[in-house]
Amino acid sequence: MSARRRRLRLNAFLMEAGHHEAAWRLPHSNPRADFDLQHWIELAQLAESATFDSLFLADGPALIGTGEFRPPGQLEPLTLLTVLSQATSRIGLIATVSSTYNEPYNLARRLASVDHVSGGRAGWNIVTSAGADEAANFGLDDRPGHAERYARADEFLKVAKALWDSWEREAVVADKGTGRYADPARLHRLGHRGRYFKVAGPLNVERPPQGYPLLVQAGSSEDGKDFAARHAEAVFTAHTTYERAAAFYADIKARTRAAGRDPDGIVVLPGIVPYIGSTEAEARALARQFDELRVPEYGLRQLAAVFETEPSVFDLDKPLPDAVLARPKLEGSQSRSDLITELAVREKLTVRQIISRLGGGRGHFEFVGTPEQVADTIITWFEGGAADGFNIMAPALPSGLTAFIDHVLPILRGKGLFREEYEGTTLREHYGLPVPSNQFHQTQATFQVSGA
Amino acid sequence: MSARRRRLRLNAFLMEAGHHEAAWRLPHSNPRADFDLQHWIELAQLAESATFDSLFLADGPALIGTGEFRPPGQLEPLTLLTVLSQATSRIGLIATVSSTYNEPYNLARRLASVDHVSGGRAGWNIVTSAGADEAANFGLDDRPGHAERYARADEFLKVAKALWDSWEREAVVADKGTGRYADPARLHRLGHRGRYFKVAGPLNVERPPQGYPLLVQAGSSEDGKDFAARHAEAVFTAHTTYERAAAFYADIKARTRAAGRDPDGIVVLPGIVPYIGSTEAEARALARQFDELRVPEYGLRQLAAVFETEPSVFDLDKPLPDAVLARPKLEGSQSRSDLITELAVREKLTVRQIISRLGGGRGHFEFVGTPEQVADTIITWFEGGAADGFNIMAPALPSGLTAFIDHVLPILRGKGLFREEYEGTTLREHYGLPVPSNQFHQTQATFQVSGA
């Protein structure tokens, strides 16, 4: 046991009017939340006022669906994080950005810049972009395969880390007297020539305050878990039962150890979609209100998209068809389709029931109950070895986040499991993770200021 | 004559401690200005307090030089503009971004996002990235040729404009009652398949407030001028004499007319580096102070870089060598090398004198004089048909910008040539330019809300 008590990590996963697909239809929702800056600033300040470790924005470089039943766009997330960095001072700021559809030089630079302007609060959720619709915006007639995307991501990370390291801390001398600005020997060229990238370097941005932005990963396929074990410092994951979450947790920690890393250096955060009521009946009524606002056609299309098929193959009042169950591994979102299949078979759900269950969290853990029940569940998962913290996915925003903050957090704080105030200023400090050492660090300066 | 008096457009070209290569060495300069957010915020607020039309950040995706004698890096400019958008409310925000080393989908989205978060104040200075050092950060052993880069930029603009247009204004219905969010028929696919890009679309960001960000261009080669005539709404340019500026101005306006556009729809802004003193002697002393802080080796390296040769070919006390003068057209920065050659031959300058003349503005128009003399020159160029306004490149920042604002602007305002207060809120409004029409705009709605 470490002398210091293990603390819960809490991430506020923000999403326009909320995580439930029909959140925008609630009477008090702002249906144009996606492009309303004030909405995002208020959410960020709300999460910061509650000392959340971080907030998180999901993303993909393509329109989301057809737009017919749900807001289909959003501000580019690093731009939005940059805005939020100026409206907050302590909360960590994590965004999803694709390693498949970006160049390492550009993205390493942008992430370093966000880390600078936020004073060390940037995090990068690395995704490899499974969608065919994304591929079609980047010159590809079909998306690259699963293994290919992860191989590229691996090399991308290697290059990005070297770019972030390319300015040693002592590189800038800025000697007004002699006119020497920097020591070129401490601005490192990479000369990287790999399978996917050739990058000369150095980066044209000083090493960011956190060394690297916090590296986050959310893919739960075999490739995804191995990638997380090699690179990730936080993992967002989706599980609908404690047993599945505990198995995943043990698996990720074991893989991380096998990759030669400290398993405490990777923070596992399952998602939870809490429907909170002061009584169980009230919580159920709240969940029902969301369910009644769903457009069934939307859910069918979403389900078809996950299984890469047409909506017409499904019958709302029957189980998943055999043709879907028998499909080979998909090149796209493997873990999401596996998770839904597992849930549907285990609980013998009809398609209609599956869609209803997925409405709020797209496969994440929906929990309907009182604040005490939500807190008990969080504590059970946390203390039982299924989570290091949680990714809080409020079904409606801001109301669901406010309910969590006002009613669940006091219980967790009362048990000493969550901070009362921020202790650090950077995202790495909040998560208890160190600044990575610089691969180019030299113990001896090679640079002599003339006349010194 | 239009009823409304023609007004000067003024852009504040910001650059770390100033445009002079040795600005960082001045006693009051902040040598770490490049990564000091407060420095940039103060400059932006200073320019806005003086009702400048816009501020501008230059950029390239590579380290600037070796870093030995001058700050070699800077924050990624759209990230910095996003920060500045939150610290200001009216001034236009223009950044350089490469069309050669970005994907249209990503960049169109980022620029649209900056336009959204700034309330319609974004501008894009389109560059094609001439440098071999830039190419080496993006997998290329040599940079693409001049014509190739401009051909790609042309197609890039076509795709970007279609992406910005892909959401019609009436696309979002957001009908809470029926659950219909958007009209898919008003979210347009591009299905673009060109020489350089295949992009499906639509963009996942709503059409920006300005329709498109203000499109700016600064290349002055033949390809560059033709590109400007087709696409640009503002042109940054470098001239060292009135005659050259007037010829360029007439040329750009004629090319714009020939391209089928209104010549008033392109605003020509030469750069000026003003050394301002209350007397001529004081101004000369100020310029000398900068000159004495130069490191000659730095100037030689810069000159060699422009001519794509080695510093050793130059003799400080002789004119440009014949080998340099006789070189064929360069693939890189053609207009810059032509401009320097022309200046050197016309004024019979030695290499040392060339370097001194380039120290402040890298080929831009340096002007040493009193506020009255600076204002007279600006007015002469403006009224004589050599400029629609100026790109103000203060040799030191903030001091040079403050001097211009405190001493030159009142003269221009006294003559009714520059605004006293902002009249509009968007960058296009400041520059007197319209929101472009949407190429997908339909006069008839095709979408019927069920039951309506």
Side-chain angles (χ1 to χ4, degrees), chain A residues 25-26 29 31-32 59 68 74 101 106 109 137 139 176 180-182 198 201 206, chain B residues 25-26 29 31-32 59 67-68 101 106 109 137 139 176 180-181 198 201 204 206:
Chain A
R25 296 182 65 189
L26 289 167
S29 284
R32 304 299 296 264
D59 193 59
E68 199 167 352
Q74 62 179 13
Y101 300 121
N106 287 339
R109 186 179 182 208
N137 288 329
K176 288 186 179 182
R180 292 272 169 159
Y181 191 79
K198 289 190 288 186
E206 190 168 7
Chain B
R25 297 181 65 190
L26 290 167
S29 284
R32 305 299 296 265
D59 193 59
E68 198 166 354
Y101 301 121
N106 286 339
R109 186 178 183 209
N137 288 328
K176 288 186 178 182
R180 291 273 169 155
Y181 192 79
K198 290 190 287 185
N204 54 357
E206 191 168 6

mmCIF file of all heavy atoms in Angstrom, chain A residues 25-26 29 31-32 59 68 74 101 106 109 137 139 176 180-182 198 201 206, chain B residues 25-26 29 31-32 59 67-68 101 106 109 137 139 176 180-181 198 201 204 206:
data_model
loop_
_atom_site.group_PDB
_atom_site.id
_atom_site.type_symbol
_atom_site.label_atom_id
_atom_site.label_comp_id
_atom_site.label_asym_id
_atom_site.label_seq_id
_atom_site.Cartn_x
_atom_site.Cartn_y
_atom_site.Cartn_z
ATOM 1 N N ARG A 25 -33.841 16.909 -27.687
ATOM 2 C CA ARG A 25 -35.291 17.118 -27.734
ATOM 3 C C ARG A 25 -35.900 17.444 -26.377
ATOM 4 O O ARG A 25 -37.093 17.750 -26.296
ATOM 5 C CB ARG A 25 -35.968 15.852 -28.283
ATOM 6 C CG ARG A 25 -35.595 15.540 -29.715
ATOM 7 C CD ARG A 25 -36.332 14.319 -30.214
ATOM 8 N NE ARG A 25 -37.770 14.565 -30.281
ATOM 9 C CZ ARG A 25 -38.679 13.625 -30.525
ATOM 10 N NH1 ARG A 25 -38.287 12.369 -30.700
ATOM 11 N NH2 ARG A 25 -39.958 13.930 -30.573
ATOM 12 N N LEU A 26 -35.125 17.329 -25.300
ATOM 13 C CA LEU A 26 -35.676 17.636 -23.969
ATOM 14 C C LEU A 26 -36.104 19.098 -23.919
ATOM 15 O O LEU A 26 -35.501 19.958 -24.573
ATOM 16 C CB LEU A 26 -34.608 17.374 -22.894
ATOM 17 C CG LEU A 26 -34.276 15.896 -22.654
ATOM 18 C CD1 LEU A 26 -32.994 15.794 -21.831
ATOM 19 C CD2 LEU A 26 -35.437 15.190 -21.958
ATOM 20 N N SER A 29 -33.321 21.565 -23.270
ATOM 21 C CA SER A 29 -32.060 21.420 -24.015
ATOM 22 C C SER A 29 -31.891 22.514 -25.055
ATOM 23 O O SER A 29 -32.867 23.010 -25.626
ATOM 24 C CB SER A 29 -32.013 20.058 -24.713
ATOM 25 O OG SER A 29 -31.725 19.041 -23.794
ATOM 26 N N PRO A 31 -30.863 22.804 -28.593
ATOM 27 C CA PRO A 31 -30.641 21.885 -29.720
ATOM 28 C C PRO A 31 -29.483 22.326 -30.613
ATOM 29 O O PRO A 31 -28.994 21.551 -31.414
ATOM 30 C CB PRO A 31 -31.968 21.922 -30.480
ATOM 31 C CG PRO A 31 -32.580 23.229 -30.127
ATOM 32 C CD PRO A 31 -32.118 23.561 -28.729
ATOM 33 N N ARG A 32 -29.022 23.568 -30.474
ATOM 34 C CA ARG A 32 -27.880 24.044 -31.263
ATOM 35 C C ARG A 32 -26.622 24.096 -30.406
ATOM 36 O O ARG A 32 -25.694 24.854 -30.695
ATOM 37 C CB ARG A 32 -28.185 25.424 -31.846
ATOM 38 C CG ARG A 32 -29.459 25.487 -32.694
ATOM 39 C CD ARG A 32 -29.385 24.552 -33.901
ATOM 40 N NE ARG A 32 -28.340 24.961 -34.815
ATOM 41 C CZ ARG A 32 -28.544 25.715 -35.889
ATOM 42 N NH1 ARG A 32 -29.749 26.121 -36.184
ATOM 43 N NH2 ARG A 32 -27.532 26.038 -36.678
ATOM 44 N N ASP A 59 -14.484 12.650 -31.230
ATOM 45 C CA ASP A 59 -14.475 13.260 -32.558
ATOM 46 C C ASP A 59 -14.181 12.247 -33.644
ATOM 47 O O ASP A 59 -13.613 11.184 -33.387
ATOM 48 C CB ASP A 59 -13.416 14.359 -32.638
ATOM 49 C CG ASP A 59 -13.602 15.210 -33.875
ATOM 50 O OD1 ASP A 59 -14.678 15.803 -34.006
ATOM 51 O OD2 ASP A 59 -12.698 15.274 -34.737
ATOM 52 N N GLU A 68 -30.270 13.555 -39.807
ATOM 53 C CA GLU A 68 -31.728 13.642 -39.828
ATOM 54 C C GLU A 68 -32.340 13.640 -38.431
ATOM 55 O O GLU A 68 -33.350 14.298 -38.195
ATOM 56 C CB GLU A 68 -32.290 12.475 -40.652
ATOM 57 C CG GLU A 68 -33.707 12.720 -41.108
ATOM 58 C CD GLU A 68 -34.148 11.727 -42.177
ATOM 59 O OE1 GLU A 68 -33.301 10.944 -42.660
ATOM 60 O OE2 GLU A 68 -35.344 11.737 -42.515
ATOM 61 N N GLN A 74 -19.698 19.037 -35.240
ATOM 62 C CA GLN A 74 -19.212 19.718 -34.039
ATOM 63 C C GLN A 74 -17.952 20.482 -34.394
ATOM 64 O O GLN A 74 -17.278 20.195 -35.381
ATOM 65 C CB GLN A 74 -18.954 18.746 -32.903
ATOM 66 C CG GLN A 74 -17.898 17.700 -33.162
ATOM 67 C CD GLN A 74 -17.702 16.782 -31.949
ATOM 68 O OE1 GLN A 74 -18.505 16.774 -31.020
ATOM 69 N NE2 GLN A 74 -16.639 16.009 -31.970
ATOM 70 N N TYR A 101 -5.575 10.057 -40.159
ATOM 71 C CA TYR A 101 -5.834 11.144 -41.111
ATOM 72 C C TYR A 101 -5.158 12.455 -40.719
ATOM 73 O O TYR A 101 -5.658 13.542 -41.012
ATOM 74 C CB TYR A 101 -7.345 11.307 -41.317
ATOM 75 C CG TYR A 101 -7.951 10.037 -41.852
ATOM 76 C CD1 TYR A 101 -8.949 9.361 -41.175
ATOM 77 C CD2 TYR A 101 -7.457 9.477 -43.032
ATOM 78 C CE1 TYR A 101 -9.460 8.164 -41.661
ATOM 79 C CE2 TYR A 101 -7.960 8.278 -43.513
ATOM 80 C CZ TYR A 101 -8.957 7.628 -42.834
ATOM 81 O OH TYR A 101 -9.447 6.444 -43.325
ATOM 82 N N ASN A 106 2.354 18.005 -38.090
ATOM 83 C CA ASN A 106 1.281 18.968 -37.809
ATOM 84 C C ASN A 106 0.597 18.678 -36.481
ATOM 85 O O ASN A 106 0.337 19.592 -35.696
ATOM 86 C CB ASN A 106 0.225 18.927 -38.920
ATOM 87 C CG ASN A 106 0.687 19.568 -40.205
ATOM 88 O OD1 ASN A 106 1.616 20.384 -40.208
ATOM 89 N ND2 ASN A 106 0.057 19.210 -41.311
ATOM 90 N N ARG A 109 2.683 19.230 -33.356
ATOM 91 C CA ARG A 109 2.820 20.670 -33.118
ATOM 92 C C ARG A 109 1.555 21.267 -32.493
ATOM 93 O O ARG A 109 1.621 22.082 -31.582
ATOM 94 C CB ARG A 109 3.121 21.361 -34.451
ATOM 95 C CG ARG A 109 3.418 22.815 -34.275
ATOM 96 C CD ARG A 109 3.731 23.458 -35.591
ATOM 97 N NE ARG A 109 4.062 24.838 -35.376
ATOM 98 C CZ ARG A 109 3.885 25.804 -36.265
ATOM 99 N NH1 ARG A 109 3.415 25.504 -37.460
ATOM 100 N NH2 ARG A 109 4.197 27.043 -35.985
ATOM 101 N N ASN A 137 -13.302 10.991 -46.916
ATOM 102 C CA ASN A 137 -12.938 12.417 -46.884
ATOM 103 C C ASN A 137 -11.444 12.641 -47.060
ATOM 104 O O ASN A 137 -10.978 13.783 -47.081
ATOM 105 C CB ASN A 137 -13.397 13.048 -45.561
ATOM 106 C CG ASN A 137 -14.906 13.216 -45.517
ATOM 107 O OD1 ASN A 137 -15.538 13.426 -46.557
ATOM 108 N ND2 ASN A 137 -15.481 13.117 -44.330
ATOM 109 N N GLY A 139 -9.404 10.818 -49.471
ATOM 110 C CA GLY A 139 -8.831 10.273 -50.697
ATOM 111 C C GLY A 139 -8.862 8.772 -50.812
ATOM 112 O O GLY A 139 -8.346 8.215 -51.771
ATOM 113 N N LYS A 176 21.198 38.040 -24.745
ATOM 114 C CA LYS A 176 21.115 39.314 -25.463
ATOM 115 C C LYS A 176 22.496 39.896 -25.728
ATOM 116 O O LYS A 176 22.717 40.545 -26.758
ATOM 117 C CB LYS A 176 20.280 40.311 -24.655
ATOM 118 C CG LYS A 176 18.789 40.011 -24.628
ATOM 119 C CD LYS A 176 18.023 41.133 -23.938
ATOM 120 C CE LYS A 176 16.531 40.837 -23.939
ATOM 121 N NZ LYS A 176 15.741 41.925 -23.320
ATOM 122 N N ARG A 180 23.511 35.138 -29.163
ATOM 123 C CA ARG A 180 23.228 33.706 -29.322
ATOM 124 C C ARG A 180 21.836 33.427 -28.781
ATOM 125 O O ARG A 180 21.573 33.714 -27.615
ATOM 126 C CB ARG A 180 24.222 32.867 -28.523
ATOM 127 C CG ARG A 180 25.614 32.922 -29.055
ATOM 128 C CD ARG A 180 25.814 31.849 -30.109
ATOM 129 N NE ARG A 180 27.080 32.078 -30.797
ATOM 130 C CZ ARG A 180 27.722 31.130 -31.462
ATOM 131 N NH1 ARG A 180 27.208 29.924 -31.550
ATOM 132 N NH2 ARG A 180 28.845 31.406 -32.068
ATOM 133 N N TYR A 181 20.984 32.837 -29.587
ATOM 134 C CA TYR A 181 19.635 32.575 -29.119
ATOM 135 C C TYR A 181 19.491 31.148 -28.574
ATOM 136 O O TYR A 181 19.213 30.956 -27.410
ATOM 137 C CB TYR A 181 18.597 32.830 -30.219
ATOM 138 C CG TYR A 181 17.224 32.803 -29.614
ATOM 139 C CD1 TYR A 181 16.742 33.921 -28.929
ATOM 140 C CD2 TYR A 181 16.439 31.661 -29.636
ATOM 141 C CE1 TYR A 181 15.511 33.889 -28.287
ATOM 142 C CE2 TYR A 181 15.212 31.623 -28.994
ATOM 143 C CZ TYR A 181 14.758 32.739 -28.327
ATOM 144 O OH TYR A 181 13.548 32.710 -27.682
ATOM 145 N N ALA A 182 19.719 30.172 -29.436
ATOM 146 C CA ALA A 182 19.569 28.774 -28.996
ATOM 147 C C ALA A 182 20.820 27.984 -29.326
ATOM 148 O O ALA A 182 21.641 28.386 -30.156
ATOM 149 C CB ALA A 182 18.350 28.132 -29.663
ATOM 150 N N LYS A 198 8.368 9.879 -43.173
ATOM 151 C CA LYS A 198 9.738 10.385 -43.172
ATOM 152 C C LYS A 198 9.654 11.796 -42.598
ATOM 153 O O LYS A 198 8.996 12.663 -43.178
ATOM 154 C CB LYS A 198 10.320 10.425 -44.581
ATOM 155 C CG LYS A 198 10.610 9.051 -45.137
ATOM 156 C CD LYS A 198 11.409 9.113 -46.434
ATOM 157 C CE LYS A 198 10.541 9.626 -47.573
ATOM 158 N NZ LYS A 198 11.238 9.575 -48.881
ATOM 159 N N GLY A 201 12.388 16.831 -38.688
ATOM 160 C CA GLY A 201 12.465 17.527 -37.416
ATOM 161 C C GLY A 201 13.561 18.570 -37.435
ATOM 162 O O GLY A 201 14.226 18.753 -38.458
ATOM 163 N N GLU A 206 8.614 24.587 -28.738
ATOM 164 C CA GLU A 206 9.328 24.191 -27.524
ATOM 165 C C GLU A 206 8.629 22.990 -26.868
ATOM 166 O O GLU A 206 7.416 22.853 -26.954
ATOM 167 C CB GLU A 206 9.288 25.407 -26.587
ATOM 168 C CG GLU A 206 10.162 25.315 -25.384
ATOM 169 C CD GLU A 206 10.275 26.678 -24.677
ATOM 170 O OE1 GLU A 206 9.566 27.629 -25.078
ATOM 171 O OE2 GLU A 206 11.049 26.777 -23.746
ATOM 172 N N ARG B 25 16.969 41.171 -28.890
ATOM 173 C CA ARG B 25 18.131 41.603 -28.103
ATOM 174 C C ARG B 25 17.966 42.990 -27.495
ATOM 175 O O ARG B 25 18.824 43.434 -26.728
ATOM 176 C CB ARG B 25 19.383 41.599 -28.987
ATOM 177 C CG ARG B 25 19.758 40.233 -29.494
ATOM 178 C CD ARG B 25 21.023 40.285 -30.334
ATOM 179 N NE ARG B 25 22.171 40.690 -29.528
ATOM 180 C CZ ARG B 25 23.355 41.005 -30.024
ATOM 181 N NH1 ARG B 25 23.541 40.971 -31.344
ATOM 182 N NH2 ARG B 25 24.351 41.357 -29.227
ATOM 183 N N LEU B 26 16.919 43.710 -27.874
ATOM 184 C CA LEU B 26 16.719 45.048 -27.310
ATOM 185 C C LEU B 26 16.543 44.958 -25.793
ATOM 186 O O LEU B 26 15.996 43.979 -25.289
ATOM 187 C CB LEU B 26 15.490 45.705 -27.932
ATOM 188 C CG LEU B 26 15.634 46.100 -29.402
ATOM 189 C CD1 LEU B 26 14.268 46.433 -29.992
ATOM 190 C CD2 LEU B 26 16.593 47.286 -29.548
ATOM 191 N N SER B 29 13.056 44.046 -24.665
ATOM 192 C CA SER B 29 12.361 42.947 -25.344
ATOM 193 C C SER B 29 12.252 41.714 -24.464
ATOM 194 O O SER B 29 13.134 41.445 -23.642
ATOM 195 C CB SER B 29 13.096 42.559 -26.629
ATOM 196 O OG SER B 29 12.843 43.495 -27.635
ATOM 197 N N PRO B 31 12.741 38.056 -24.762
ATOM 198 C CA PRO B 31 13.334 37.134 -25.741
ATOM 199 C C PRO B 31 12.570 35.816 -25.852
ATOM 200 O O PRO B 31 12.774 35.070 -26.791
ATOM 201 C CB PRO B 31 14.756 36.912 -25.197
ATOM 202 C CG PRO B 31 14.655 37.194 -23.742
ATOM 203 C CD PRO B 31 13.571 38.229 -23.560
ATOM 204 N N ARG B 32 11.683 35.535 -24.908
ATOM 205 C CA ARG B 32 10.880 34.312 -24.974
ATOM 206 C C ARG B 32 9.451 34.621 -25.397
ATOM 207 O O ARG B 32 8.520 33.864 -25.080
ATOM 208 C CB ARG B 32 10.891 33.594 -23.612
ATOM 209 C CG ARG B 32 12.272 33.285 -23.075
ATOM 210 C CD ARG B 32 13.048 32.364 -24.000
ATOM 211 N NE ARG B 32 12.432 31.061 -24.123
ATOM 212 C CZ ARG B 32 12.763 30.005 -23.402
ATOM 213 N NH1 ARG B 32 13.754 30.068 -22.541
ATOM 214 N NH2 ARG B 32 12.137 28.863 -23.563
ATOM 215 N N ASP B 59 3.749 31.847 -40.827
ATOM 216 C CA ASP B 59 4.049 30.505 -40.332
ATOM 217 C C ASP B 59 4.601 29.607 -41.424
ATOM 218 O O ASP B 59 4.399 29.855 -42.616
ATOM 219 C CB ASP B 59 2.794 29.827 -39.770
ATOM 220 C CG ASP B 59 3.141 28.593 -38.976
ATOM 221 O OD1 ASP B 59 3.893 28.729 -38.002
ATOM 222 O OD2 ASP B 59 2.719 27.484 -39.343
ATOM 223 N N GLY B 67 18.122 28.376 -35.274
ATOM 224 C CA GLY B 67 17.829 28.842 -33.925
ATOM 225 C C GLY B 67 18.998 29.527 -33.249
ATOM 226 O O GLY B 67 18.859 30.069 -32.157
ATOM 227 N N GLU B 68 20.158 29.527 -33.918
ATOM 228 C CA GLU B 68 21.360 30.013 -33.226
ATOM 229 C C GLU B 68 21.287 31.510 -32.924
ATOM 230 O O GLU B 68 21.807 31.964 -31.912
ATOM 231 C CB GLU B 68 22.584 29.706 -34.094
ATOM 232 C CG GLU B 68 23.870 29.759 -33.319
ATOM 233 C CD GLU B 68 25.029 29.137 -34.084
ATOM 234 O OE1 GLU B 68 24.807 28.563 -35.169
ATOM 235 O OE2 GLU B 68 26.175 29.255 -33.591
ATOM 236 N N TYR B 101 0.846 21.037 -47.223
ATOM 237 C CA TYR B 101 1.063 20.050 -46.156
ATOM 238 C C TYR B 101 -0.135 19.896 -45.229
ATOM 239 O O TYR B 101 0.018 19.598 -44.049
ATOM 240 C CB TYR B 101 2.354 20.374 -45.408
ATOM 241 C CG TYR B 101 3.534 20.362 -46.349
ATOM 242 C CD1 TYR B 101 4.333 21.487 -46.536
ATOM 243 C CD2 TYR B 101 3.815 19.236 -47.107
ATOM 244 C CE1 TYR B 101 5.389 21.476 -47.429
ATOM 245 C CE2 TYR B 101 4.862 19.214 -48.017
ATOM 246 C CZ TYR B 101 5.646 20.336 -48.175
ATOM 247 O OH TYR B 101 6.676 20.319 -49.068
ATOM 248 N N ASN B 106 -9.490 18.462 -43.155
ATOM 249 C CA ASN B 106 -9.056 18.906 -41.827
ATOM 250 C C ASN B 106 -8.923 20.417 -41.752
ATOM 251 O O ASN B 106 -9.345 21.046 -40.783
ATOM 252 C CB ASN B 106 -7.697 18.284 -41.473
ATOM 253 C CG ASN B 106 -7.797 16.812 -41.128
ATOM 254 O OD1 ASN B 106 -8.859 16.328 -40.769
ATOM 255 N ND2 ASN B 106 -6.682 16.100 -41.243
ATOM 256 N N ARG B 109 -12.151 22.408 -41.977
ATOM 257 C CA ARG B 109 -12.874 22.286 -40.707
ATOM 258 C C ARG B 109 -12.278 23.174 -39.619
ATOM 259 O O ARG B 109 -12.998 23.825 -38.863
ATOM 260 C CB ARG B 109 -12.822 20.821 -40.269
ATOM 261 C CG ARG B 109 -13.663 20.586 -39.043
ATOM 262 C CD ARG B 109 -13.631 19.131 -38.646
ATOM 263 N NE ARG B 109 -14.502 18.927 -37.514
ATOM 264 C CZ ARG B 109 -14.324 17.990 -36.608
ATOM 265 N NH1 ARG B 109 -13.317 17.134 -36.727
ATOM 266 N NH2 ARG B 109 -15.151 17.878 -35.592
ATOM 267 N N ASN B 137 9.750 17.467 -43.506
ATOM 268 C CA ASN B 137 8.928 17.074 -42.357
ATOM 269 C C ASN B 137 7.660 16.333 -42.777
ATOM 270 O O ASN B 137 6.885 15.912 -41.925
ATOM 271 C CB ASN B 137 8.548 18.307 -41.531
ATOM 272 C CG ASN B 137 9.738 18.852 -40.758
ATOM 273 O OD1 ASN B 137 10.608 18.098 -40.342
ATOM 274 N ND2 ASN B 137 9.773 20.170 -40.574
ATOM 275 N N GLY B 139 7.598 13.782 -45.384
ATOM 276 C CA GLY B 139 7.830 12.570 -46.165
ATOM 277 C C GLY B 139 8.437 12.792 -47.529
ATOM 278 O O GLY B 139 8.594 11.840 -48.289
ATOM 279 N N LYS B 176 -37.969 19.804 -32.109
ATOM 280 C CA LYS B 176 -38.052 18.915 -30.942
ATOM 281 C C LYS B 176 -39.315 18.058 -30.991
ATOM 282 O O LYS B 176 -39.308 16.915 -30.536
ATOM 283 C CB LYS B 176 -38.046 19.734 -29.654
ATOM 284 C CG LYS B 176 -36.698 20.361 -29.318
ATOM 285 C CD LYS B 176 -36.740 21.037 -27.948
ATOM 286 C CE LYS B 176 -35.381 21.613 -27.595
ATOM 287 N NZ LYS B 176 -35.377 22.240 -26.252
ATOM 288 N N ARG B 180 -37.058 15.535 -35.878
ATOM 289 C CA ARG B 180 -36.241 15.777 -37.073
ATOM 290 C C ARG B 180 -35.196 16.827 -36.728
ATOM 291 O O ARG B 180 -35.543 17.934 -36.315
ATOM 292 C CB ARG B 180 -37.103 16.329 -38.214
ATOM 293 C CG ARG B 180 -38.073 15.340 -38.763
ATOM 294 C CD ARG B 180 -37.411 14.518 -39.835
ATOM 295 N NE ARG B 180 -38.260 13.390 -40.196
ATOM 296 C CZ ARG B 180 -38.208 12.792 -41.373
ATOM 297 N NH1 ARG B 180 -37.355 13.203 -42.282
ATOM 298 N NH2 ARG B 180 -38.992 11.774 -41.617
ATOM 299 N N TYR B 181 -33.921 16.512 -36.936
ATOM 300 C CA TYR B 181 -32.885 17.481 -36.613
ATOM 301 C C TYR B 181 -32.491 18.312 -37.830
ATOM 302 O O TYR B 181 -32.666 19.511 -37.854
ATOM 303 C CB TYR B 181 -31.658 16.803 -35.997
ATOM 304 C CG TYR B 181 -30.747 17.860 -35.426
ATOM 305 C CD1 TYR B 181 -31.038 18.438 -34.199
ATOM 306 C CD2 TYR B 181 -29.659 18.337 -36.148
ATOM 307 C CE1 TYR B 181 -30.268 19.471 -33.689
ATOM 308 C CE2 TYR B 181 -28.886 19.359 -35.652
ATOM 309 C CZ TYR B 181 -29.184 19.928 -34.428
ATOM 310 O OH TYR B 181 -28.427 20.955 -33.950
ATOM 311 N N LYS B 198 -9.548 13.347 -53.259
ATOM 312 C CA LYS B 198 -10.875 12.750 -53.351
ATOM 313 C C LYS B 198 -11.544 13.006 -52.014
ATOM 314 O O LYS B 198 -11.068 12.525 -50.973
ATOM 315 C CB LYS B 198 -10.791 11.249 -53.620
ATOM 316 C CG LYS B 198 -10.305 10.917 -55.024
ATOM 317 C CD LYS B 198 -10.463 9.431 -55.341
ATOM 318 C CE LYS B 198 -9.441 8.595 -54.589
ATOM 319 N NZ LYS B 198 -9.481 7.173 -54.966
ATOM 320 N N GLY B 201 -17.249 14.554 -48.367
ATOM 321 C CA GLY B 201 -18.076 15.541 -47.706
ATOM 322 C C GLY B 201 -19.358 14.912 -47.207
ATOM 323 O O GLY B 201 -19.549 13.698 -47.347
ATOM 324 N N ASN B 204 -18.266 18.437 -41.372
ATOM 325 C CA ASN B 204 -19.024 18.212 -40.132
ATOM 326 C C ASN B 204 -19.059 19.465 -39.251
ATOM 327 O O ASN B 204 -19.185 19.377 -38.032
ATOM 328 C CB ASN B 204 -18.489 16.998 -39.366
ATOM 329 C CG ASN B 204 -17.004 17.082 -39.103
ATOM 330 O OD1 ASN B 204 -16.336 18.028 -39.534
ATOM 331 N ND2 ASN B 204 -16.477 16.105 -38.398
ATOM 332 N N GLU B 206 -20.934 23.402 -39.330
ATOM 333 C CA GLU B 206 -21.885 24.332 -39.930
ATOM 334 C C GLU B 206 -21.142 25.428 -40.705
ATOM 335 O O GLU B 206 -20.032 25.799 -40.339
ATOM 336 C CB GLU B 206 -22.670 24.956 -38.767
ATOM 337 C CG GLU B 206 -23.876 25.739 -39.165
ATOM 338 C CD GLU B 206 -24.749 26.060 -37.934
ATOM 339 O OE1 GLU B 206 -24.330 25.760 -36.805
ATOM 340 O OE2 GLU B 206 -25.835 26.611 -38.132
#
